[in-house]
Structure formats: structure tokens, C-alpha cells
Amino acid sequence: MNISGAERSVEIKGFGGALGLVLDKAAPFEVIESDLRQLLQDTSSRRFFQGSEIVLGPDTRTLSAEEFSKLNQILQEGELELKPLETNGNAARLRKLRATESRGSKADTPTPKADTKPILEEAESEVVPESAAASPQLALPTLETVVPPAENPTPVNQEKSELHPGLNTDSGLIVRQTLRSGQTIKSKHSVIVFGDLNAGAEIESEGDIIVLGTIRGMVHAGISGDATVTVLGLRMQPTQIRIGSYISQPPAEKSGSIVTGPERAFVENGQIVIESQACGPAELIAMLLTFQRRGARSKVASRGSVPAIAVGAIRL
Amino acid sequence: MSQSIVITSGKGGVGKTTTTANLSTALANTGSSVVAVDADIGLRNLDLLMGLENRIVFNLVDVVKGRCTARQAMIKDKRSPNLFLLPTSQVDDKNAVSPEEMGGLVEELRKGFDYIIIDCPAGIEQGFRNAIAGADRAVVVTTPEVSAVRDADRIIGMLQHHDVPSQLIVNRLSMKMVESGEMMSQEDVVDILAVDLLGVIPEDSEVVVSGNQGVPVVLDTSSEAGAAYSRICRRILGESVPFPDFAEKRGFLTRLFRR
């Protein structure tokens, strides 16, 4: 889908549902800037793109943070917004996209160099869930993957939609790898990690955060201010937990000395509370289910839960 | 089938260069042809540990810039006829070479050697990107310290991003300190980093002595660290070598009374 028709250093292409910006690798940045302006001035394409979110496409030029913000400014003038973080440096996903790209149009797409690291180099968030690669929109079903088919998730979804008007609530981000130091995930959706969150790694989510492994890094659930979201980890040794506008550090004692089982953090009476979850596989599934359901919190900790430990919470 | 292996760590001073020198020597002693490449441009060390510093004429930057051939720059080891060192430049910095150029150099070296062992500089900047550019796999060296483990974690993540599989060496493990609870055990480190363990090197003062003499410790069969490097070499060659319990060496009675 070449909107411009003519040879330009900037193109906007569709990548499986998302709009991707493809920048000529050879062209100087000034040319890219002016071509992008021109592209957006074209009234027909402008109307077409208006209000859309746009990501940096695969096999594109590397941008410095400064160049990136300049492009974003131009796009914003055209009422488009460049979304860096969801594609940014996402090697696996980009490679897959690139692979499908070059397979699809071998003739006009030159084979990308093996070591091209296409996106913004400054902020490294090289983690991409494999599942995201299949559907680049990042709107992935979570419940569907963990819920037995007998369950009917419809009322749950309705409940959530009321709480988050405008947010695609029955979607989430599945990360199938351990997040290591320096790797970050930022998502508008709830995040489920199959692996550990190591110290120095960060997850920021507008929804809930579930880590099916050890949380050693920083988690921030409800980054847009929603304090009704929760954080679950099979082992909690976080450097920090943030929920909505609340922030807490784990107690000063040596980590791992008290609880080694699954724990859940949520905000209660203006404090972040961490609650132990005694659970087997069945309860774990139940817990995952209730993550979509704010009101069901008490039901989760039905059996064998220890009294909640209040952790010193500071209002930001 | 030649293999290129980068020895990296993130943090400095954990034993990358020592590991490079010892594994290169050990691999060469098994009959494989090996070249040790010092990619730490500007901070030349590998030649010292191999005792070859006074034979350097050309260096890696000269080769990359076409001022000489790789053959001319490589130095044959004093002891092993199968081992060569490609020393680095002491006057340039990391930006003198690009990852593409390093990748090309490694490709060229593949033609003449079974193993290309690349000594990576500390850090995650250009020097790191250069060093991993041509690597088939990585050996991440860490010590059982929180800072080293944290940096190793970052490095492993970056290696994954570049599709370089990594294995782990835990260096300078003191069994005595592990037993008294003052040091992370190898299990703790592997638990955090979640990668394959290639080997454990016990703390051994012989390493410093042999390094100063320019004789890799792996040649000293009586030293614990040397034996550990030999085991790692065999594992690289594909042998399955059991991990010894370093505590056993303390003797049965000592162990009994310690409990």
C-alpha cells in the first residue's frame, strides 16, 4: 500500500492491522522530515490516517531519540501519534514481520541486512511476546488462553468495560520469556509473563500484571492512575511495586525470608497490600480468572490465605 | 565446521580475559586450531596473560583497516603450535571498528581455524556490539556478586536480542563463603539468570600468579582453577563432564565437624 505513489523516503504501510511508518534507510533525515510533512499535507491521505496510531514499521531506518521526537511532532500536527514502545526494538516480532514482508513482496523489497536494528536505539525494550508477532496489534486474547471453554467470560468483560470506558478490556499482552535487566514492557493492556521478571527489568501496564515466575524487578500496574488493578507473582521479591499512584517498597528484611509462595498486591485503604495466595493449579487458574473481575478479590484468597501484610505505602 | 565464541560479562574484572586465554589454550591443546581475538580495543590485556606482548607487530585495527593481512597480525603462541593470538590496538578506541567490519573479520578467520575465541570488552556499548558481531555463541562470565549477576542478566538479554545463544561460567566461587552464607551459590546464580551452566571456577590464587607470569593457569594441572578450565574446554567440545562438588575437597572429617 504505497500511499504516495511517487518515490518518497517515507511511506505508510499497513502491517497486519497497524499502520507502520517505513523510512528510507539511505535518505538524510531532513529529506525524511520534509517528505513526511508533504505526505501528511496530501489531503486525501491525511483524512485517511487521521486519529490513527502509527508505529515504526519493520525494516526501517534507525532513529535517534531526537529524530524520533521530531517525527512524532510532525505526525501530531497531522493528528497522528507515533507509538514507539510497542514496536520499539522488538526484534523477534520485527523479524517475523520483516520475514512475512519480504516473502509477500520479494520483488520490490530488498532483503534486509541480518543485523539491522531498525527502531529507536535509545530506549531498549527488546522484548516482544511471540504471540504479539502473530498479530501486531497487541490486542491479544488473554482470557481465552487460560480459561476453560466452559467458562463464559461475557459478564466479566462487561463489568470491566464500565470501569475502563474506551479501553479494549478483554485484551492483554502475553510475554513468553523471562524479562532481564534493562528490558521493559509498557502496555495499555494487562500483561501476563510466562517467566521471571528479573531485577532491573520493568513492566508498566494500564491494567493488571501477572508474572508466572519470580518478580524481582519493578512493576507498575495501572499506570494511567487506576488503583483497582492488581499485581500477582508466583514469588514476590520486587524492588518496587507501584499501583496507580501508589508506590511501595518491600520490607527491609532479607527477601524470601517470609513468603515463598504466590502473592498478590493491591491497594486497600490507601495502601498497597500484599497478600499471600496459597494455591495449587486449580486455584491459580481461578486466580487468573478473577483478574478480570475487580469485585471478586476476596473470593480468590478463600483458602489458606494469611492475613494481609500492609507495606508502607506512599502517595505519589 | 568452525565456531566463533565470544567471552563476555557486562561488568569488568570478572575474568573475561583470563577465561579467553585459558579456554583458547585448552582448546588448542586438544588439537583444534584456535585463534584468540582481543576485541578490547584500547585496553590491551589478552597478550599479557598469554605472555606474547613483546611479539606484537600489527593488530586487529590494522587488519580491519586493510593495513596488513590477518596472517601478518596473528602471533603464534609460545607453547601450542595450534594457537594464535590476534592482538588489539592500544592506541585506538572502540569506535575504530564497526560491527560489520568485525563480522567480516570473523568470517575470514573461520577459513583457517576451528575455534575463534573473542575477548569482549566490559560494557554494553560499541565495543560489546563489535565483539558479538561475528559470534555463533556466547560464554557469559560472572562472579557470585549481585552487581556482576545483574550485569550478566542485562548482557544475556542483549545477546538474546541479537540471537546469540549464551552459556554461563561462574568464576571465583568460594565454597567456604557459600557454606557460611556470605556468597551466592552457583545454584542461586543459575536460578536468577536461567541459562545453561558451562562451568564453575573456584577461587584460586594461582590464577593471579600465572596471569602475572603470562602462563595460562590451565597448563598447571595441579591447580583447581586450571582443572575447572579443562573441564569447561571438554564441555565446549561436546563431552558431558560432571560438575564436581568443590566442598568434597575439604575432606570428610572437616565437613563432619563443620555441621
Side-chain angles (χ1 to χ4, degrees):
Chain A
M1 180 173 80
N2 189 344
I3 299 300
S4 65
E7 273 294 313
R8 270 187 177 148
S9 62
V10 181
E11 280 179 60
I12 296 181
K13 289 183 173 180
F15 291 107
L19 284 179
L21 195 62
V22 180
L23 309 173
D24 189 340
K25 275 187 242 168
F29 185 70
E30 296 72 48
V31 177
I32 289 177
E33 251 182 322
S34 73
D35 277 3
L36 181 62
R37 256 180 237 276
Q38 220 176 338
L39 181 69
L40 293 174
Q41 263 158 19
D42 183 352
T43 43
S44 61
S45 56
R46 190 191 169 116
R47 207 173 307 131
F48 184 78
F49 295 135
Q50 218 154 39
S52 315
E53 280 173 5
I54 193 159
V55 297
L56 275 176
D59 188 26
T60 195
R61 180 194 151 91
T62 306
L63 294 172
S64 72
E66 195 192 338
E67 290 172 338
F68 183 84
S69 64
K70 272 187 190 162
L71 287 190
N72 206 7
Q73 210 179 338
I74 299 172
L75 287 166
Q76 270 167 358
E77 287 163 18
E79 286 170 54
L80 290 159
E81 198 189 340
L82 197 52
K83 286 269 159 188
L85 283 157
E86 296 188 349
T87 45
N88 176 12
N90 279 339
R93 174 174 161 207
L94 284 168
R95 258 194 297 280
K96 273 192 195 167
L97 276 175
R98 226 182 285 153
T100 34
E101 260 278 283
S102 47
R103 240 181 282 131
S105 53
K106 265 244 163 71
D108 54 344
T109 322
T111 326
K113 276 197 83 179
D115 194 43
T116 42
K117 195 180 164 193
I119 313 301
L120 206 69
E121 277 195 317
E122 302 273 320
E124 274 221 7
S125 74
E126 55 251 78
V127 175
V128 177
E130 275 166 29
S131 42
S135 133
Q137 241 180 340
L138 289 182
L140 303 160
T142 52
L143 269 185
E144 280 74 7
T145 55
V146 287
V147 178
E151 294 283 342
N152 181 9
T154 323
V156 176
N157 290 344
Q158 279 171 356
E159 190 185 345
K160 255 199 111 171
S161 306
E162 283 161 23
L163 282 157
H164 295 279
L167 193 73
N168 185 8
T169 50
D170 57 351
S171 66
L173 184 66
I174 298 177
V175 180
R176 290 174 205 279
Q177 68 169 79
T178 288
L179 293 174
R180 298 183 179 278
S181 176
Q183 297 178 323
T184 58
I185 290 225
K186 196 171 180 177
S187 174
K188 316 167 66 156
H189 310 290
S190 292
V191 175
I192 300 182
V193 179
F194 290 86
D196 296 343
L197 178 75
N198 278 1
E202 295 177 9
I203 299 178
E204 294 185 343
S205 157
E206 285 192 19
D208 304 305
I209 296 172
I210 302 165
V211 177
L212 298 173
T214 307
I215 299 183
R216 302 188 185 93
M218 198 281 284
V219 283
H220 190 170
I223 31 170
S224 51
D226 183 359
T228 63
V229 295
T230 51
V231 174
L232 169 80
L234 295 191
R235 278 172 81 196
M236 286 270 218
Q237 300 165 2
T239 38
Q240 219 176 63
I241 296 177
R242 299 180 194 165
I243 297 176
S245 56
Y246 297 89
I247 181 167
S248 82
Q249 284 169 288
E253 301 111 277
K254 272 218 151 180
S255 58
S257 54
I258 323 166
V259 191
T260 51
E263 289 181 283
R264 209 161 46 94
F266 52 91
V267 174
E268 201 170 69
N269 304 326
Q271 278 197 322
I272 293 182
V273 172
I274 297 180
E275 194 174 69
S276 173
Q277 311 283 316
C279 74
E283 278 123 328
L284 188 66
I285 291 170
M287 206 184 315
L288 289 171
L289 284 175
T290 50
F291 257 89
Q292 294 288 333
R293 224 175 316 166
R294 310 266 178 255
R297 193 170 284 146
S298 53
K299 290 178 204 156
V300 185
S302 53
R303 201 187 59 163
S305 67
V306 301
I309 312 157
V311 181
I314 317 142
R315 215 110 203 198
L316 279 179
Chain B
M1 258 302 285
S2 90
Q3 257 197 60
S4 58
I5 305 172
V6 61
I7 314 290
T8 181
S9 72
K11 189 177 179 294
V14 297
K16 287 179 295 296
T17 306
T18 308
T19 300
T20 308
N22 281 291
L23 292 185
S24 304
T25 306
L27 283 166
N29 284 351
T30 64
S32 310
S33 60
V34 181
V35 58
V37 179
D38 191 347
D40 198 351
I41 305 171
L43 295 167
R44 190 165 74 193
N45 282 158
L46 184 58
D47 50 318
L48 295 175
L49 297 192
M50 292 170 74
L52 298 172
E53 78 275 22
N54 50 15
R55 302 187 185 191
I56 297 173
V57 181
F58 293 112
N59 59 51
L60 184 145
V61 177
D62 293 325
V63 177
V64 166
K65 298 300 172 199
R67 293 193 280 260
C68 70
T69 65
R71 280 277 162 209
Q72 284 174 306
M74 282 187 297
I75 305 163
K76 197 173 177 183
D77 186 57
K78 282 177 187 170
R79 291 160 287 266
S80 170
N82 303 329
L83 177 60
F84 286 81
L85 166 72
L86 181 55
T88 196
S89 160
Q90 183 72 338
V91 293
D92 295 282
D93 64 22
K94 312 287 190 250
N95 301 323
V97 175
S98 74
E100 290 74 27
E101 288 169 328
M102 273 300 285
L105 174 68
V106 172
E107 282 313 307
E108 195 190 329
L109 292 173
R110 272 180 210 277
K111 292 173 200 154
F113 294 94
D114 299 330
Y115 288 95
I116 299 141
I117 312 291
I118 305 157
D119 184 21
C120 178
I124 55 171
E125 296 84 14
Q126 169 110 23
F128 169 75
R129 289 196 292 271
N130 284 344
I132 66 165
D136 300 328
R137 56 182 174 132
V139 171
V140 177
V141 183
T142 184
T143 56
E145 293 166 274
V146 283
S147 54
V149 171
R150 180 73 57 90
D151 291 356
D153 190 42
R154 177 95 165 101
I155 286 293
I156 294 165
M158 296 183 79
L159 287 165
Q160 275 174 355
H161 176 61
H162 289 274
D163 280 330
V164 182
S166 39
Q167 286 175 298
L168 185 71
I169 290 181
V170 179
N171 194 13
R172 307 193 62 177
L173 187 83
S174 160
M175 215 49 226
K176 204 172 139 196
M177 287 177 75
V178 171
E179 277 170 12
S180 61
E182 293 167 314
M183 185 182 263
M184 272 190 265
S185 71
Q186 66 199 59
E187 288 84 6
D188 294 337
V189 177
V190 172
D191 185 45
I192 292 172
L193 296 178
V195 283
D196 281 350
L197 185 65
L198 184 62
V200 180
I201 320 282
E203 172 80 57
D204 185 348
S205 55
E206 277 302 310
V207 175
V208 180
V209 177
S210 69
N212 289 341
Q213 291 167 349
V215 182
V217 72
V218 72
L219 297 171
D220 176 2
T221 43
S222 65
S223 86
E224 278 193 51
Y229 276 120
S230 304
R231 282 193 294 272
I232 291 172
C233 166
R234 284 160 61 199
R235 288 187 196 114
I236 288 178
L237 291 168
E239 256 182 80
S240 166
V241 186
F243 288 84
D245 182 358
F246 292 111
E248 288 298 326
K249 291 231 165 77
R250 309 178 61 83
F252 172 72
L253 282 177
T254 354
R255 277 159 57 80
L256 198 68
F257 286 120
R258 280 186 70 86
R259 289 292 137 91

